[in-house]
Amino acid sequence: MDLKLLFMSTLFGIICCSSAQQEGNECIKANALSCGQCIQVGAKCGWCTDTEFLKQGEPTSARCDELESLKKRGCDKIENPHGSQRILKNKAVTNRKKGAEKLRPEDITQIQPQKLSLNLRSGEPQNIKLRFKRAEDYPIDLYYLMDLSYSMKDDLENVKNLGTSLMKEMSKITSDFRIGFGSFVEKTVMPYISTTPAKLLNPCTGDQNCTSPFSYKNVLKLTSNGQQFNSLVGQQQISGNLDSPEGGFDAIMQVAVCGFAGDGKLGGIVLPNDGKCHLENNMYTMSHYYDYPSIAHLVQKLSENNIQTIFAVTEEFQPVYKELKNLIPKSAVGTLSANSSNVINLIVDAYNSLSSEVILENSKLPEGVTITYQSRCKNGVVNEGENGRKCSNISIGDEVSFNINITAQGCPKQGKPESIKIKPLGFTEEVEILLNFICECECHKHGIKNSDMCHNGNGTFECGACRCNKGRVGRQCECRKDEVSTEDLDKNCRKDNGTDICSNNGECVCGTCECKKRDNPEERYSGKFCECDNFNCDRSNNKLCGGHGRCECRVCICDANYTGSACDCSLDTSTCLASNKQICNGRGNCECGTCRCTDPKFQGPTCEICPTCPGVCTEHKECVQCRAFGTGEKKDTCERDCSYFNLIKVKDRDKLPQPVQAFPLMHCKERDANDCWFYYTYAVNNTEKEVHVVDALECPAGPDIIPIVAGVVTGIVLIGLALLLIWKLLMIIHDRREFAKFEKEKMNAKWDTGENPIYKSAVTTVINPKYEGK
């Protein structure tokens, strides 16, 4: 179970590593004659075991139908087995820590559960859940496979000390690490090498001393001794060859099938590689006998032996090996330096890349079995389809899960249990799944062989019907196959001694009509002479029996509260109740659940709508305003409150509809908050409410501001001037009156001219005593 690494180095190097309802009713179309045949058709199919279930003329196969259809047809005894599953081995995943007690590889568990048993019913998927947890300190085996052709001379020097260095580096990943070594050159035939005696001894040119060519040689089996690796690799010598592809595929195949221990036709080798181990004294001895293995063959053997492949190639050969990587699952491509100096980093990086991805694969599936995967990876990532097989970027200790659906279609020919295995690529752990197929019903176990119910014991009575013995036919196995159709028996299949056998709707089998089936499996013929059917009844609203009954022998059998030839007349009056709890608002009659209004002014489903009654315009004003013009009190709730009528806009008032006798309407004229008028009509056409509205508002013309302002200003000025003039005139009149009064009083006054005795002059004369009169 340990992780095994196969390392192969070449000029365009290879590094390999590995780790330890169809259309219609499919049930009826199947013509199943037994319960076992019925349940193999699909998961929706059931078998009616009620002995009285079939109507006259219906064949035994009519017992097989979809579950809901059987219930509708009145069957209460239905055989419908279901699949199941049981976990047989469920060892918990290992929580091993680095440095803990060393476990044997077989004691380490990364996938859970390990063994299950499934009982599969045809068409019914069984879902199983697998857990995968990447274990810490997982054992690793590395097998270093190196190309020793002359082109790898420089690389060999760098590899001679690889053992101890790689042991030191890998100890950071695991404490359980082993390393091995092998080498290859090419097939030892022309044209891959020169077969001249001298070149067979020393294929190199000049003074170069090279070892004889060989195909593949195992130098060192897996060991934990790095010094031994260095010692044996140091003893290796370069060889030579002529062919550029070299013998890498032969070497990989031997490493894979020997347990670590093409163009072959150019050399006359035509036998395909047999995929077996051919080592003698650690040397591959059949390279001249078998062709190179194909890529598909390599993929098969690498998978069988849990090997993951990494190709380490120089930059020159990257495109070729990236294409090869796409053909080999769990493989990687790394870039190798010219002298392989980066080989340790390449191995570590490749190991981390491959071990961080888990890919599930399954063994070959039995015939009729399918499998689908769904992965639930880190960070909630869910993958389906082919990507559902894998999860990437898994760190040590991470846990992911896989939901796997396994479905069987029918039963295997042998009917025996099968098994499949699911495993993560590159690991030896696997999940074994035992598959048991449900091919018969439970009632089959209680069948009565040679039962008297099957015409004198000519069949086995099981699951409510006869399963006829070989050579017998008929519903009760009453006829031999060679006497199925005779003139005497056909007479029993003619109604009223007519000429039509089974009304041309069936076949006469053993003197009994077995009605034929329609393309639509829901439609059936029945009756002694197949004279009845369940699809030729009256229809209403394009529904058989109005959807309120069932068709029996071309006559509708109506459900409760329905009547009429097409069950289209409801006897329920609740749909006619108006809001005042009166039938049709007291203005009509309830006929077949619908009001017929007797008052022509009233309309609607309950005769409550009166388009021409007062108040209609005011009632609908706000809704018309918001829907037509986006204004009004209901503009914010228009969609919620005003979707009860159909709005139709017209250009002008002449386009508004006019009243007719069949559909009375009301013409309305309303004014909005801006004093604009809008015009509309309201009518009820059958049950549809219609409003026609003129799409333009009629608003009064606005005032001319400039003349108004100018007039106001002029008026104010004129009034002011007039007031001033009046004031001035009044003042003049007042002054003249006062002056006249003054003059009159002056003339009438008689004044005394004597001096005022108390008068004193305002002038005082003072004589200067010094004045001499000059």
Side-chain angles (χ1 to χ4, degrees), residues 588-635:
N589 300 318
C590 185
E591 298 178 7
C592 296
T594 302
C595 283
R596 297 193 181 277
C597 303
T598 55
D599 188 335
K601 291 196 302 182
F602 287 85
Q603 301 177 17
T606 56
C607 302
E608 292 182 274
I609 300 173
C610 181
T612 59
C613 293
V616 171
C617 295
T618 305
E619 179 184 353
H620 304 292
K621 169 188 172 182
E622 295 296 339
C623 282
V624 173
Q625 188 178 353
C626 78
R627 288 191 58 184
F629 309 108
T631 60
E633 295 180 0
K634 291 188 177 182
K635 65 178 181 180

Side-chain angles (χ1 to χ4, degrees), residues 169-336:
E169 192 66 30
M170 294 302 288
S171 66
K172 299 176 182 177
I173 300 174
T174 178
S175 60
D176 193 350
F177 176 70
R178 296 186 300 172
I179 191 170
F181 184 80
S183 59
F184 69 92
V185 179
E186 187 53 271
K187 289 183 179 295
T188 55
V189 294
M190 282 290 290
Y192 307 111
I193 64 170
S194 175
T195 56
T196 61
K199 288 294 184 179
L200 287 175
L201 292 176
N202 184 4
C204 298
T205 58
D207 297 332
Q208 298 292 332
N209 186 23
C210 299
T211 189
S212 299
F214 57 91
S215 178
Y216 161 68
K217 176 171 61 178
N218 175 43
V219 178
L220 175 65
K221 291 184 177 181
L222 294 171
T223 178
S224 57
N225 189 339
Q227 291 294 342
Q228 185 181 9
F229 178 92
N230 291 349
S231 175
L232 287 175
V233 173
Q235 299 172 16
Q236 302 306 303
Q237 286 185 296
I238 293 297
S239 184
N241 65 336
L242 301 177
D243 186 43
S244 60
E246 305 173 309
F249 281 6
D250 268 346
I252 293 177
M253 177 62 79
Q254 291 304 300
V255 172
V257 299
C258 294
F260 278 90
D263 58 352
K265 292 181 182 178
L266 289 174
I269 302 171
V270 295
L271 286 178
N273 196 289
D274 64 353
K276 296 180 180 179
C277 182
H278 296 288
L279 292 187
E280 293 183 12
N281 296 322
N282 290 321
M283 296 287 289
Y284 180 39
T285 59
M286 303 297 285
S287 67
H288 63 287
Y289 190 72
Y290 290 118
D291 193 4
Y292 292 122
S294 67
I295 294 177
H297 200 182
L298 270 180
V299 170
Q300 176 191 350
K301 292 302 178 182
L302 290 171
S303 176
E304 287 177 1
N305 294 278
N306 308 306
I307 296 176
Q308 306 168 52
T309 308
I310 309 164
F311 298 103
V313 298
T314 55
E315 189 72 33
E316 178 184 0
F317 294 97
Q318 281 282 320
V320 175
Y321 279 87
K322 283 184 178 178
E323 290 295 327
L324 187 59
K325 168 189 175 294
N326 295 331
L327 301 175
I328 302 180
K330 286 289 278 186
S331 62
V333 177
T335 303
L336 192 67

Side-chain angles (χ1 to χ4, degrees), residues 72-107:
K72 288 179 181 179
R73 292 168 59 191
C75 181
D76 55 2
K77 297 179 181 178
I78 301 175
E79 191 78 11
N80 179 35
H82 292 286
S84 61
Q85 58 181 266
R86 187 162 52 98
I87 296 177
L88 304 178
K89 186 177 180 182
N90 195 26
K91 184 179 178 183
V93 293
T94 303
N95 292 312
R96 182 188 184 193
K97 299 294 184 181
K98 189 174 179 182
E101 180 182 357
K102 187 174 182 179
L103 298 175
R104 294 179 303 170
E106 57 268 24
D107 293 333

Side-chain angles (χ1 to χ4, degrees), residues 35 72 149 161 257 301 356 374 577 587 644 710 759 765:
C35 186
K72 288 179 181 179
S149 59
N161 295 320
V257 299
K301 292 302 178 182
S356 66
Q374 181 193 68
L577 286 178
R587 292 181 169 87
Y644 59 87
Y759 174 77
T765 302

